[in-house]
Amino acid sequence: MAPALRAHIATVYSENPDNYREDLATLDALRTELSFIDRQDAVIPRLLALNAHLDQVALKFPVDEHHVRICFTWSNVGNPIVSLSSSFGLWFERAAVLWNLGALFGKLACHSDLDSVDGIKRACSMFQNAAGCFERIKLLVDTSSLASPDYAMPLLEMLVSTMLAQAQEMFYEKAVMDKLKDLTLAKLSSGAEQLYSKAHASAKETGLFHSDWVVSLDAKAHFFKSITETRRAAVAKAEGQYGEEVARLQVAAAEAKSAFGLRNLNAKLMAKMKAFSGEVDALLASAKRDNDVIYIALVPSKENLAPVSAAIMVKASLQPEAWLKSPIPTLFAGLMPLSLHKAASEYSNLADTLVRDRTAQLQDASDLAQATLQSLNLPASLEAAEAALKPGAPNVPPTTSRRAAEVRDEGGVRGLDDSWATLVREREKVFAALDDSLRVLEAEEAEDEDMRRQFSTRWTRPRSKDLTGHLRDTERSYRDKMGAAKKSDDLIRGKIDANYAGIFSLSLSSEEIAASLPVAAPGKEHIGTMNKLKATLGELAAVRSEMPQLINKLKEIRKNDDTAPLLAAAMRDKKDADGDAMFKAESKKYDAVTKEMDDWVKRQSEIMDRVSDLNTSFASWKVGNESAEKREKALQNLDKAYKAYKEVTANLKEGLKFYTDFQVVVNRFNQSCRDFATTRTIDKKEFLAQVQQSSLAGRPPPPWNGQISFNPNPPATAPPSFYYPRQ
């Protein structure tokens, strides 16, 4: 590289290339040295140094086909037919160095001691470094002149995803060692599954890798999907969601079988996946048995399972500091004075600070004005006074009128009563179905016990109570849930009763509401003040609407504030630059808009002073005016009633949905109880005939050999979640 760079220094920078002899020698020596190093751990620091030096070269030399011409070569990995590729772009050499770094990081990570915590941490770090290398290549690649298939985007995406997936896998293994919670492990595993799936998709798209690679990535994706669902199933079990537990374990079992069922897998990986599949099968069998016998919860379909959110804890990040004993020296520093970079940074910080501070100044002033208006109850108190002065006073303030119209449109207090009646009716249907289910079971049991008393030891049929334990447990569970739901209903009823009068008033017509409000209006001597206050509030609104425009104007100036010409002039003149001085010289471009902002703050403050003074004069009419106080209290009660109305109507809708959904569950349960009773009745008649015949013949009582044909573990939809009204 030295000859071409020397020529550019001499011709473009007009400097003696010998001034950079050591830098040029260092660059070429490092590139040559890397061809003869055998120890892999020794290669990494040198590759990192070369990568940094090439970055420095890229900042100061236009190395391409049209300027500084240097031909770089690369031995293709993905295309053995075309063994070598070449390019005049410096990006090609930088990408080659990063490719070697990424491959080396990945190889060393795979050879780490994964049985130890330190080994796992080291592997996780190296995989992320590898991903960082390939991610940087994506930013470097010149897609307009792709010189090698190794730099195709799908292939680079595959390499990044594969390295990140392995890093995420290490993070998961470390979390398992630390015995983190199942939900956390599920999210980590989901992250690994997503990354392996992405890598598999990219590997298939490239068509450059051996099928074993593609198969292994696919297997790992299925494997971690299985782990995710297994861990999430454990969470569902802990939360009492037994149907969800079974469903997720079913998905996990299928994914595990898909994983080790692929061909051409590594033997060690195959054994690990097969062993895990056996563990999942055992968990699934146990969960299904418990659910069938004890919980009888509905097992949702795979499509209805909520996806497990992924917690991807790794990122593509090349961190060279851990591999370097000392900082990498800067080459060709004299060609671009560091003061220019420092000046540019200082200038940028000063400009950003100006924008940030000025924006905050306007926002603070606006917030203060809003808080003041709220403390003065403006413009609500002015609207109420204006409404009281209209013909036919006392009238209804516009806000109260709009809210009352909304309540009336939704049915008002009558609609609220109807909704409550519907809720109670649907609730009683559920209780009735539960009562009927219990009655059916008790009637069958009484009938069985009557036969037992009549025939004593000759009635050898199993007792009903020994067969209905699970049904009775389910009935008690459902009744407990209904008891909790009724408590929620009682809270809603209490809120309705507490605000019934106010909601009733809101259901009246505007004329009726107006008639119910106490008569209180300011005297004619206050009308002038009110008009001035209204006009001043309008003026305030107009001023406040200008704030977003001023902020956008300031940001636009900052967006177009380019220091490149200043830096280029300083570099051309070989002068140092001071960021503070540059900003002082250039800040005039901000003066006009900052002056507008100062004027805006001043105008708003002056208007707020006038608003405060006018409001003091306006509010004086209410001092000692009992009617005014009663009217204000009445309006506050209507406001409170409106808010309560919105809450209870939402609660009633939620409660009605709860009982409607629960009816489906309880009706299925009721049918299961009836099926049981019917089967037992048929069996009783057949067995009674056998007992009577054996008694007449003087033979011992026949052994009971009946079959329970009904399903002792009927499928049951899990009850819906409770609804709880806001307090």
Side-chain angles (χ1 to χ4, degrees), residues 355-385:
V355 173
R356 183 170 56 252
D357 290 349
R358 285 293 187 165
T359 300
Q361 179 187 13
L362 263 63
Q363 190 61 57
D364 290 345
S366 177
D367 292 344
L368 178 61
Q370 183 61 35
T372 303
L373 290 174
Q374 290 177 352
S375 68
L376 299 176
N377 195 26
L378 290 174
S381 62
L382 180 61
E383 289 180 355

Side-chain angles (χ1 to χ4, degrees), residues 36 176 190 267 380 422 612:
F36 302 99
V176 172
S190 179
T422 302
S612 181

Side-chain angles (χ1 to χ4, degrees), residues 346-635:
E346 290 175 351
Y347 185 100
S348 180
N349 289 337
L350 290 169
D352 290 342
T353 299
L354 182 144
V355 173
R356 183 170 56 252
D357 290 349
R358 285 293 187 165
T359 300
Q361 179 187 13
L362 263 63
Q363 190 61 57
D364 290 345
S366 177
D367 292 344
L368 178 61
Q370 183 61 35
T372 303
L373 290 174
Q374 290 177 352
S375 68
L376 299 176
N377 195 26
L378 290 174
S381 62
L382 180 61
E383 289 180 355
E386 287 179 328
L389 286 171
K390 290 181 179 179
N395 213 322
V396 185
T399 300
T400 304
S401 180
R402 286 194 300 271
R403 290 178 172 178
E406 181 182 345
V407 172
R408 289 195 300 272
D409 291 343
E410 294 179 3
V413 72
R414 179 175 295 180
L416 190 63
D417 289 338
D418 291 343
S419 296
W420 173 257
T422 302
L423 179 80
V424 173
R425 186 168 56 251
E426 295 304 313
R427 182 181 69 199
E428 293 308 313
K429 286 182 182 179
V430 179
F431 274 121
L434 288 175
D435 292 341
D436 183 69
S437 300
L438 187 59
R439 182 192 60 77
V440 168
L441 295 178
E442 290 178 343
E444 192 283 323
E445 183 176 346
E447 191 177 72
D448 181 66
E449 291 301 318
D450 183 60
M451 291 292 100
R452 201 172 304 281
R453 284 191 297 271
Q454 182 178 345
F455 293 100
S456 187
T457 57
R458 299 182 69 82
W459 193 256
T460 59
R461 195 173 71 147
R463 291 180 180 273
S464 293
K465 65 180 181 180
D466 295 333
L467 299 176
T468 59
H470 68 289
L471 292 173
R472 292 181 180 275
D473 288 344
T474 299
E475 189 274 338
R476 280 192 293 271
S477 172
Y478 287 175
R479 197 171 291 276
D480 288 344
K481 294 179 186 298
M482 285 296 296
K486 188 177 183 304
K487 289 182 180 179
S488 293
D489 294 345
D490 293 341
L491 292 174
I492 296 174
R493 184 69 251 179
K495 190 175 295 185
I496 293 174
D497 292 342
N499 295 277
Y500 196 85
I503 297 173
F504 180 84
S505 296
L506 287 173
S507 305
L508 300 174
S509 66
S510 297
E511 293 77 11
E512 290 172 317
I513 295 175
S516 69
L517 292 174
V519 176
K524 294 182 178 180
E525 68 274 12
H526 292 283
I527 293 177
T529 302
M530 290 171 58
N531 290 336
K532 290 180 180 179
L533 179 57
K534 183 176 183 179
T536 306
L537 287 174
E539 185 181 351
L540 177 65
V543 170
R544 296 186 69 192
S545 68
E546 297 174 8
M547 188 182 79
Q549 301 171 21
L550 290 173
I551 292 175
N552 290 335
K553 188 174 182 180
L554 179 65
K555 290 181 177 179
E556 186 66 23
I557 295 174
R558 175 67 185 100
K559 179 181 177 181
N560 297 322
D561 190 2
D562 185 11
T563 59
L566 299 174
L567 296 174
M571 181 177 173
R572 182 183 63 249
D573 299 336
K574 299 184 179 65
K575 293 181 179 179
D576 289 338
D578 177 76
D580 185 59
M582 285 171 57
F583 185 74
K584 287 180 179 179
E586 294 293 316
S587 63
K588 293 179 181 179
K589 65 184 69 174
Y590 295 96
D591 287 350
V593 69
T594 55
K595 186 178 184 305
E596 288 184 64
M597 289 181 165
D598 290 337
D599 291 343
W600 182 89
V601 172
K602 183 178 179 181
R603 282 188 292 141
Q604 180 179 253
S605 178
E606 291 174 347
I607 294 173
M608 285 304 303
D609 288 341
R610 283 190 280 137
V611 166
S612 181
D613 292 341
L614 288 169
N615 185 72
T616 300
S617 177
F618 158 67
S620 64
W621 76 275
K622 292 185 287 186
V623 177
N625 189 327
E626 185 177 351
S627 296
E629 293 176 356
K630 289 182 178 180
R631 177 177 172 83
E632 187 168 353
K633 181 64 176 178
L635 291 173

Side-chain angles (χ1 to χ4, degrees), residues 704-721:
W704 182 80
N705 59 358
Q707 300 293 326
I708 301 176
S709 59
F710 78 100
N711 181 4
N713 296 296
T717 304
S721 301

